[in-house]
Amino acid sequence: MSNFVMNRTKFWARKSREDKIFDVLNLFLLSGLMLVVLYPLYFVVIASISNPDYVYNGEVWLYPKDITFEGYQRIFQDGRIWTGYKNTVIYTLVGTFVNVALTLMAAYALSRKDLAGRNFFMFMFLFTMFFSGGLIPTYLVVKNLGLVNTMWALILPKAVAVWNLIVAKTFFQSTIPDELLESAQMDGCSNTKFFWKIVLPLSKPIVAVMVLFYAVTHWNSFFDALIYLNDEELYPLQLVLRSILIQNEASASMLGDVESFAAQQRIADLIKYGVIIVAAVPLLILYPFIQKYFVKGAMIGSIKG
Amino acid sequence: METKVKTLPWRKAKPKSELKVKSSSKKKIWQNYELYLFLLPTIIYFIIFHYIPMYGILIAFQDYMPTQGVWGSPWVGFEHFIRFFNSYQFWNLLENTLELSFFQLLFGFPLPIIVALLLNQLRNQKYKKFVQTVIYAPHFISVVVLVGMVYVFFSPNGLINNFIMIFGGDPVYFMSEASWFKPLYISSGLWQETGWAAIIYLAALAGVSPEVHEAAIMDGASKMQRIRHVDIPAIMPTAMILLVLSVGNLMNIGFEKAYLMQTPLNVSAGEIIPTYVYKVGLQSAQYSFAAAVGLFNAIINFILLWAVNRAAKKLSGSGLW
């Protein structure tokens, strides 16, 4: 056995010239790719704490210059950001709860081979991945239900995502053995009890994946809010970000005391960099820890496609 | 090589053990009534928010009046479609939509495959993990923030122009020149999604048993040869399904980003059918006309999906249906 392993390592160690060139080139390419992805993010961080005049003149490249937290101070003075944050947190919590509850229950039912009509239901759901009424008819339905300008307009029309339903169903099918159900049924366990007491405790990874996928969608979504909400008090963070980042509307409370137009422009840019960081902070903090769950979710989805 | 590949172990389908419940279907339904209750909210959701809107497409053939509803509004046949085909924006919209989708697919489809193949060849597992973690990250950035980054980086005094000026070039007004809209749209999309899209291929590559690679090395295959003859055949079915799926969403995808990237000066290149539907339909409340334009978009989309599925089936034997 050990002989075999040794042979094998020797065998891996013997590399042809061509393979060596390939390895070097590969390392070079991937490191380049990584820098291309990383640098813009890094630049936003350093630009958000540098003196805006240096950023404006292109003197900030690798590290922050003349560190200042003025941008963040101005951001946190602004009421809109806080309202947006509060709204987004509420929408994300309530929305994710509705999403996960519906998705897991439906996915479990669909994963049961003894559910009569499961193929019909599956087809009914999958069909909507390729055919939909489109923007206008959906808007009219939401409007007729009286949901416009309420939080529910952001939650109910997105209650279940077909893709996540497939991911969860695939997970249940591959992890809950049929024998488990049989023996539970033998003991007179009802379906609800089985789902609640046995299936869910065995399915913590998929619950985590679902929570994360849905929560990120809610956190990042802006278009539903754009079409369904008119009341500024209800605006989620992403809409506030849009007005600051894209429509260039840093509010009076942010720039009121700055005199010259040029200085206003530079501080507006400083605020933009800061706002990007503020919006991404929850995810940036969590990302390294939850990354593997996302990957797991994406992979479960790919097994069955 | 070809015949050998067909019998490789990872290609064999796993046998599935089916649980056979022996009872009449009526009894089965009654026994599992709780499962139907589990499904019920989801079924109601799909009916209300997906199937009723599908029925609502009928307004594309009407002059929809909110007070009359879908039944009471007068029918006008194909009037809205004809008006759209004859409008001066029609060809520009169609060209923008198809061009943007086409280039997105042209670069967005092969790049993740290449990245996955290269990552799979990295020997240092720690470094591989690190690279992966970094390149997935942009996937979680919201559209608003992504487009916001595009605006600040490509502004006249932004990062990119500072870079151009170091090399003695003149600043480029990226966001106000129509010709830059599509390159910026495509490249920012690649920056955001390439790493994430590579995950699925990495999963498929992880499924290739190491023995196959070892056997190939025994036969003196170089890394390039192994990529060509082992890795690529292994990810082919996944690639085909993803290709069909992405063509199936070609006409819908990226509409939020296009809308956010539009400025008064680049809108001639940035207006695509979905953004037009939004503007006509919701901003100026021409519901029926916008629904007709949306339906036209959906029909083109379906034709593309059908065509690519057929092609995929002919070429590789695996398609979506």
Side-chain angles (χ1 to χ4, degrees):
Chain A
M1 183 63 200
S2 67
N3 198 11
F4 175 68
V5 171
M6 253 181 58
N7 275 343
R8 216 187 232 196
T9 39
K10 226 195 256 166
F11 171 79
W12 279 106
R14 201 177 61 219
K15 281 202 279 186
S16 73
R17 224 178 109 89
E18 196 191 325
D19 281 0
K20 271 182 202 154
I21 296 173
F22 177 90
D23 276 343
V24 172
L25 216 65
N26 189 13
L27 203 66
F28 186 72
L29 271 173
L30 285 173
S31 303
L33 175 76
M34 191 183 67
L35 285 180
V36 167
V37 173
L38 200 58
Y39 184 69
L41 299 171
Y42 174 73
F43 183 80
V44 172
V45 176
I46 58 172
S48 76
I49 52 171
S50 294
N51 182 330
D53 293 333
Y54 288 120
V55 180
Y56 186 85
N57 292 326
E59 287 172 42
V60 174
W61 291 106
L62 294 175
Y63 49 86
K65 268 191 185 157
D66 188 13
I67 292 180
T68 164
F69 292 97
E70 194 187 344
Y72 289 101
Q73 274 166 4
R74 288 177 187 273
I75 291 166
F76 289 124
Q77 278 165 15
D78 187 60
R80 285 187 309 168
I81 296 267
W82 290 117
T83 319
Y85 240 107
K86 186 198 78 195
N87 288 335
T88 293
V89 169
I90 295 172
Y91 302 157
T92 303
L93 287 177
V94 178
T96 306
F97 177 78
V98 172
N99 291 145
V100 173
L102 291 192
T103 306
L104 289 180
M105 286 195 313
Y108 177 67
L110 288 170
S111 78
R112 285 276 296 265
K113 291 171 191 109
D114 56 336
L115 181 89
R118 86 197 253 254
N119 286 334
F120 168 77
F121 293 124
M122 211 50 217
F123 177 79
M124 175 185 170
F125 302 151
L126 282 175
F127 187 74
T128 62
M129 270 178 106
F130 298 102
F131 296 92
S132 73
L135 178 68
I136 305 296
T138 310
Y139 173 81
L140 291 176
V141 167
V142 174
K143 197 176 156 207
N144 289 335
L145 289 172
L147 298 178
V148 169
N149 234 351
T150 68
M151 149 175 120
W152 299 106
L154 310 185
I155 292 169
L156 295 180
K158 292 261 161 74
V160 178
V162 182
W163 184 255
N164 289 345
L165 191 65
I166 299 172
V167 170
K169 173 182 166 261
T170 311
F171 180 90
F172 287 135
Q173 268 169 349
S174 56
T175 46
I176 310 294
D178 295 336
E179 292 77 20
L180 203 59
L181 175 68
E182 278 174 69
S183 62
Q185 278 175 338
M186 216 87 87
D187 295 337
C189 177
S190 73
N191 277 321
T192 312
K193 214 169 164 187
F194 182 72
F195 178 66
W196 194 247
K197 290 261 156 86
I198 297 172
V199 174
L200 278 187
L202 284 175
S203 310
K204 278 177 195 143
I206 199 67
V207 179
V209 168
M210 289 292 117
V211 168
L212 293 172
F213 274 6
Y214 280 121
V216 169
T217 311
H218 282 293
W219 189 270
N220 284 343
S221 85
F222 96 101
F223 189 69
D224 290 333
L226 180 71
I227 57 180
Y228 295 128
L229 300 181
N230 319 315
D231 184 356
E232 283 202 21
E233 283 298 303
L234 294 173
Y235 277 6
L237 182 63
Q238 299 295 333
L239 271 192
V240 181
L241 290 178
R242 171 174 170 253
S243 73
I244 295 172
L245 282 173
I246 294 165
Q247 297 174 318
N248 223 351
E249 288 169 2
S251 73
S253 77
M254 279 177 166
L255 290 173
D257 57 321
V258 184
E259 301 269 315
S260 78
F261 179 72
Q264 270 191 6
Q265 266 309 304
R266 282 165 213 196
I267 291 178
D269 277 352
L270 182 68
I271 288 173
K272 285 182 190 176
Y273 290 117
V275 148
I276 293 175
I277 300 295
V278 170
V281 152
L283 215 62
L284 283 181
I285 295 172
L286 290 174
Y287 179 68
F289 304 104
I290 57 182
Q291 195 246 128
K292 64 172 185 197
Y293 287 109
F294 283 118
V295 175
K296 199 182 264 172
M299 284 182 175
I300 296 172
S302 71
I303 296 168
K304 239 199 156 169
Chain B
M1 200 67 206
E2 284 301 308
T3 48
K4 212 169 150 194
V5 164
K6 284 215 169 90
T7 55
L8 290 173
W10 71 82
R11 293 212 145 195
K12 279 182 199 158
K14 282 178 197 155
K16 274 182 191 163
S17 61
E18 289 270 338
L19 171 73
K20 294 252 157 57
V21 179
K22 282 175 191 129
S23 58
S24 70
S25 61
K26 249 187 197 169
K27 200 179 160 197
K28 230 159 80 179
I29 292 176
W30 193 84
Q31 233 176 22
N32 287 331
Y33 77 96
E34 290 156 294
L35 296 182
Y36 292 97
L37 289 181
F38 284 3
L39 260 181
L40 192 64
T42 303
I43 293 172
I44 294 173
Y45 159 74
F46 275 98
I47 290 173
I48 294 180
F49 291 105
H50 291 273
Y51 284 92
I52 293 180
M54 277 185 219
Y55 162 77
I57 289 184
L58 285 180
I59 67 167
F61 305 95
Q62 296 176 329
D63 257 333
Y64 177 74
M65 296 176 200
T67 47
Q68 308 278 335
V70 177
W71 274 122
S73 303
W75 295 86
V76 296
F78 287 92
E79 195 190 293
H80 297 300
F81 291 89
I82 293 165
R83 204 178 111 209
F84 177 54
F85 297 149
N86 289 330
S87 76
Y88 72 99
Q89 280 160 309
F90 174 71
W91 289 108
N92 187 32
L93 281 174
L94 193 64
E95 192 196 314
N96 283 341
T97 312
L98 287 174
E99 217 177 298
L100 218 49
S101 317
F102 174 74
F103 282 110
Q104 176 154 301
L105 193 68
L106 186 69
F107 296 106
F109 176 64
L111 208 59
I113 298 180
I114 295 168
V115 170
L117 290 172
L118 292 181
L119 267 173
N120 193 48
Q121 293 294 340
L122 266 191
R123 292 279 297 283
N124 186 334
Q125 291 302 313
K126 265 196 183 146
Y127 188 62
K128 183 180 160 189
K129 264 264 147 62
F130 181 67
V131 175
Q132 279 175 287
T133 309
V134 169
I135 63 175
Y136 296 161
H139 173 76
F140 299 102
I141 293 174
S142 73
V143 205
V144 177
V145 170
L146 178 76
V147 176
M149 284 170 71
V150 171
Y151 272 91
V152 288
F153 284 153
F154 290 89
S155 76
N157 279 291
L159 183 68
I160 304 295
N161 271 320
N162 282 336
F163 202 68
I164 291 174
M165 283 189 285
I166 285 183
F167 292 100
D170 291 321
V172 182
Y173 291 80
F174 290 100
M175 294 315 287
S176 42
E177 270 175 39
S179 59
W180 277 104
F181 185 91
K182 282 164 192 148
L184 284 181
Y185 181 94
I186 306 287
S187 52
S188 62
L190 291 177
W191 180 80
Q192 183 171 31
E193 294 297 343
T194 300
W196 185 251
I199 293 183
I200 291 181
Y201 296 113
L202 281 169
L205 286 171
V208 180
S209 82
E211 281 92 16
V212 182
H213 275 293
E214 278 162 29
I217 296 170
M218 284 288 203
D219 292 342
S222 71
K223 285 199 165 184
M224 281 307 276
Q225 283 169 321
R226 279 187 281 140
I227 288 180
R228 164 99 180 68
H229 294 289
V230 180
D231 289 346
I232 290 184
I235 59 174
M236 222 28 195
T238 315
M240 276 300 145
I241 288 176
L242 285 182
L243 180 65
V244 175
L245 274 175
S246 55
V247 173
N249 274 317
L250 209 59
M251 308 290 285
N252 307 325
I253 239 151
F255 137 66
E256 300 185 351
K257 198 166 106 187
Y259 177 68
L260 289 171
M261 281 180 67
Q262 288 173 1
T263 63
L265 293 164
N266 70 15
V267 73
S268 62
E271 193 80 284
I272 55 176
I273 296 177
T275 57
Y276 182 69
V277 171
Y278 167 66
K279 287 176 185 172
V280 176
L282 295 185
Q283 290 182 342
S284 43
Q286 302 182 44
Y287 295 134
S288 282
F289 180 65
V293 177
L295 182 58
F296 170 75
N297 196 46
I299 290 169
I300 295 191
N301 201 19
F302 180 72
I303 294 171
L304 285 173
L305 175 69
W306 176 81
V308 80
N309 189 54
R310 231 180 110 98
K313 255 161 117 175
K314 272 225 170 105
L315 285 174
S316 70
S318 54
L320 211 54
W321 70 80

